[in-house]
Amino acid sequence: MVRPVTKVVVVGGGTAGWLAAGVIAAKHRSRIPASFSVTLVESPNTPIIGVGEGTWPTLRSTLSRIGVSETELFRQCDAAFKQGAWFGRWTTGASNDGYYHPLMYPQNFSQINLVPHWLAGGDGRSFCDAVCPQGRICDDGLAPKTIATAEYEAVANYSYHLDAGKFAPFLQRHCCDKLGVRHVLADVRRVNLSETGDIRSLETEQAGEIEGDLFIDCTGFKALLIGETLGVPFKSCSDVLFCDTALAMQVPHATPTSPIASHTISTAQSAGWIWDIGLPTRRGVGHVFSSRHTSVDHAERELREYVGAAAKDLTVRRIPIRSGCRETFWKRNCVAVGLSAGFLEPLESSAIVLIEMSVKLIAEQMPVCREVMDVIAARFNATTEYRWGRIIDFLKLHYALTQREDSAFWRDNRLPETIPERLQNLLLLWRYQSPWYHDEFDRIEEVFPAASYQYVLYGMGFRTEVEPQIVAGSGKTAERAMRENVAQTERLRTGLPRHRDLIRKIVEQGLQQV
Ligand SMILES: Cc1cc2nc3c(=O)[nH]c(=O)nc-3n(C[C@H](O)[C@H](O)[C@H](O)COP(=O)(O)OP(=O)(O)OC[C@H]3O[C@@H](n4cnc5c(N)ncnc54)[C@H](O)[C@@H]3O)c2cc1C
């Protein structure tokens, strides 16, 4: 007898839980409530993690797909635009050391690789400025669109900074009011298994027993289903990524009209780095560091020094973090998404994007019946494992290229035994050819495309041998692309509004609905 999958139960009401519920319910909307249900069970006693303010441009299509209004996101989540990240003091540690990883691709990226031309040209401009306008837009404090640009459309590619404590309740209202998700506030006390080993039901304190066909574990670091119940081991990667503690602080703006940076500022410290994210009402600032290389007191001192006088009466929240992920993500009829699946330091805002990609895959591949679930689970696991691996590589790249000698943290980060073999091979290859478009990045929906690798590599002073024939062969096309970049940069710098002004207008007037 075929066992149909019609009852999806999401456990956990943080960003992962509500994105999972929303994306699955939106995809299967036509079957709800007659032949399909999505239930989200959330503890009224365990708070969500409430950090995680940087996102990736994929969030625009995810929110649009589930029917969320972008205007309401700005109104209800204290959101701002994010156009990339500035990495300060990562390469040499000097005060003038820094580079952008913007969200726009280099000019004509699919037609021409501008790296060899930029390397051969030597006109003194940074790689980012030579190929893309977004660094200058960020320097000028401009927004990536105007009030006349429709919801989710961009003039310059963007994602968001948002208040994580407001985002999950915002998604909750949308999922329950518009998408038919059933919300149960209850603590899961026990997980019941069937004789086959599948999860049959959850015993909750306040709402009795809840049965399901597919369970999505979004219980955060607790990993109640995938870890505690099904015993899937956690694979640490702390030998590659050393940071294991975060200190977070909420810093008020100097005045209500202070400019808001439209990029994440990431400033390297003696044994880690500080994130600085501007929201309309405050900044979120935090220090992620390796407690093997510095003490908590010293890390807190560095954080307070960074914030300056404004830090005087502010409290710091300490969050232990563990870099790594589950050995497998989908086991039997349970799939882990979000912190229950794993965690990597938030250097490139890779957590929420991975949640989005995972829930999209689950929604699209939703097994019709239990009989096909293991086949889909195997596919999901292969794709997800690949993605975790690539994110680890990409984060490590930021450390592996450092030239800093001022502390053991930076020196240890360059030791070959701490660099994954795949990344070592790529670094060798990139000495002779730069990453571009199709090579090595062959999966659909890579978290970080080749353009991201270009920005980090050449932002950090990496050098690729340039074949003169390559430069000569496509010189005219490259010159045209770089000239177009100069013209586009000027157009955008004169045409885009100031970041804070646009957010105020969006909140007051709203963006055009798509
Ligand atoms: C310091 C730090 C900075 C970060 N910065 C970023 C960033 O810039 N960008 C980014 O993309 N990500 C970032 N992240 C990661 C991001 O915060 C998370 O990926 C995201 O918030 C998803 O969390 P979650 O929903 O998996 O877990 P949580 O928010 O912890 O939610 C867990 C849920 O499970 C429920 N629960 C637990 N036990 C039970 C039970 N027994 N019964 C019922 N319910 C239960 C809880 O009530 C809660 O609703 C950061 C993380 C940290 C630690």
Side-chain angles (χ1 to χ4, degrees):
M1 225 180 43
V2 169
R3 290 165 294 163
V5 173
T6 60
K7 286 185 286 224
V8 174
V9 178
V10 178
V11 190
T15 299
W18 286 110
L19 279 175
V23 170
I24 293 170
K27 180 79 188 169
H28 296 271
R29 185 84 185 98
S30 59
R31 298 161 67 199
I32 297 174
S35 59
F36 195 80
S37 67
V38 180
T39 302
L40 186 141
V41 187
E42 174 188 10
S43 160
N45 300 306
T46 310
I48 63 170
I49 188 126
V51 282
E53 300 179 325
T55 65
W56 202 239
T58 45
L59 193 57
R60 279 160 47 208
S61 40
T62 300
L63 295 180
S64 161
R65 210 176 313 117
I66 67 174
V68 164
S69 146
E70 189 177 38
T71 301
E72 289 308 315
L73 178 81
F74 278 91
R75 287 181 179 154
Q76 297 185 37
C77 299
D78 202 15
F81 291 100
K82 170 179 170 182
Q83 300 189 67
W86 167 261
F87 291 93
R89 301 188 171 195
W90 280 75
T91 309
T92 62
S95 56
N96 64 352
D97 157 30
Y99 70 97
Y100 277 108
H101 171 193
L103 296 178
M104 283 174 87
Y105 278 33
Q107 294 286 337
N108 298 357
F109 189 63
S110 59
Q111 275 97 48
I112 182 158
N113 181 3
L114 290 175
V115 169
H117 302 276
W118 172 74
L119 286 168
D123 71 355
R125 275 182 304 167
S126 68
F127 176 68
C128 175
D129 284 349
V131 302
C132 150
Q134 207 150 26
R136 305 305 302 274
I137 299 173
C138 290
D139 284 342
D140 292 353
L142 302 177
K145 65 197 278 180
T146 74
I147 193 71
T149 322
E151 287 207 330
Y152 297 116
E153 282 179 14
V155 173
N157 196 15
Y158 69 86
S159 58
Y160 311 100
H161 288 141
L162 43 79
D163 183 331
K166 293 182 176 166
F167 188 49
F170 171 70
L171 290 173
Q172 175 199 317
R173 289 189 288 277
H174 180 78
C175 290
C176 296
D177 296 349
K178 305 274 172 54
L179 299 173
V181 174
R182 190 165 79 98
H183 185 200
V184 179
L185 269 177
D187 289 287
V188 175
R189 286 288 175 240
R190 221 181 65 188
V191 180
N192 298 318
L193 302 182
S194 67
E195 333 56 274
T196 61
D198 277 11
I199 296 176
R200 187 169 49 76
S201 64
L202 312 172
E203 295 276 339
T204 70
E205 193 162 306
Q206 299 87 341
E209 187 175 357
I210 297 169
E211 292 189 339
D213 303 313
L214 176 65
F215 291 84
I216 321 260
D217 184 348
C218 297
T219 58
F221 285 133
K222 199 169 176 50
L224 183 66
L225 309 186
I226 199 82
E228 284 188 20
T229 307
L230 297 179
V232 174
F234 183 86
K235 252 186 339 186
S236 167
C237 66
S238 58
D239 52 338
V240 178
L241 297 170
F242 306 152
C243 292
D244 60 5
T245 313
L247 300 175
M249 205 182 231
Q250 297 190 347
V251 182
H253 286 296
T255 71
T257 54
S258 297
I260 308 167
S262 68
H263 54 283
T264 304
I265 301 164
S266 158
T267 310
Q269 304 295 314
S270 61
W273 55 278
I274 286 178
W275 80 76
D276 187 343
I277 285 180
L279 301 182
T281 59
R282 61 165 173 83
R283 281 153 63 207
V285 184
H287 191 176
V288 178
F289 61 94
S290 160
S291 67
R292 276 181 287 160
H293 294 89
T294 192
S295 67
V296 175
D297 284 350
H298 187 254
E300 183 170 338
R301 256 199 318 280
E302 285 188 331
L303 179 61
R304 289 186 180 280
E305 259 165 42
Y306 174 90
V307 172
K312 192 165 159 272
D313 300 318
L314 298 181
T315 51
V316 165
R317 178 178 164 205
R318 181 168 158 192
I319 308 166
I321 55 182
R322 193 162 61 132
S323 285
C325 63
R326 296 282 147 193
E327 265 178 19
T328 189
F329 306 93
W330 190 328
K331 182 170 178 187
R332 299 189 178 278
N333 62 340
C334 169
V335 48
V337 175
L339 297 174
S340 62
F343 179 77
L344 298 171
E345 60 184 80
L347 184 55
E348 286 277 9
S349 303
S350 55
I352 296 172
V353 57
L354 198 53
I355 293 170
E356 293 171 64
M357 288 179 161
S358 299
V359 297
K360 185 168 168 231
L361 196 54
I362 297 167
E364 280 173 3
Q365 297 271 308
M366 180 60 64
V368 172
C369 57
R370 178 63 186 89
E371 285 66 21
V372 298
M373 196 181 284
D374 295 344
V375 180
I376 291 167
R379 267 192 206 168
F380 179 91
N381 285 329
T383 304
T384 310
E385 192 183 345
Y386 172 84
R387 286 179 176 154
W388 279 92
R390 297 303 65 76
I391 297 172
I392 293 169
D393 286 350
F394 186 61
L395 299 188
K396 184 66 180 183
L397 181 70
H398 297 66
Y399 291 104
L401 296 177
T402 189
Q403 296 157 26
R404 288 183 65 145
E405 291 287 349
D406 52 299
S407 72
F409 175 79
W410 296 102
R411 288 192 297 274
D412 290 353
N413 257 301
R414 280 205 311 270
L415 295 173
E417 60 271 28
T418 74
I419 303 176
E421 193 184 338
R422 182 178 181 279
L423 178 59
Q424 292 196 33
N425 289 337
L426 286 170
L427 284 167
L428 174 65
L429 177 70
W430 292 335
R431 275 204 235 144
Y432 303 97
Q433 64 182 65
S434 57
W436 183 47
Y437 200 41
H438 48 262
D439 40 29
E440 272 299 326
F441 302 93
D442 51 355
R443 301 264 176 141
I444 45 164
E445 294 199 314
E446 284 286 344
V447 179
F448 296 107
S452 291
Y453 284 82
Q454 289 192 347
Y455 286 124
V456 174
L457 281 166
Y458 304 106
M460 292 194 74
F462 187 84
R463 284 293 172 265
T464 300
E465 299 278 327
V466 175
E467 289 284 335
Q469 306 90 293
I470 293 179
V471 178
S474 52
K476 289 226 160 17
T477 319
E479 267 171 38
R480 242 193 337 269
M482 296 219 202
R483 267 203 314 275
E484 170 51 24
N485 182 54
V486 173
Q488 193 191 14
T489 304
E490 282 321 302
R491 266 197 319 273
L492 295 181
R493 290 180 74 193
T494 48
L496 289 171
R498 299 203 69 75
H499 187 203
R500 185 181 279 283
D501 292 346
L502 179 63
I503 295 172
R504 184 179 41 76
K505 268 198 186 161
I506 293 172
V507 170
E508 286 169 9
Q509 302 169 22
L511 289 160
Q512 277 170 260
Q513 301 272 329
V514 209

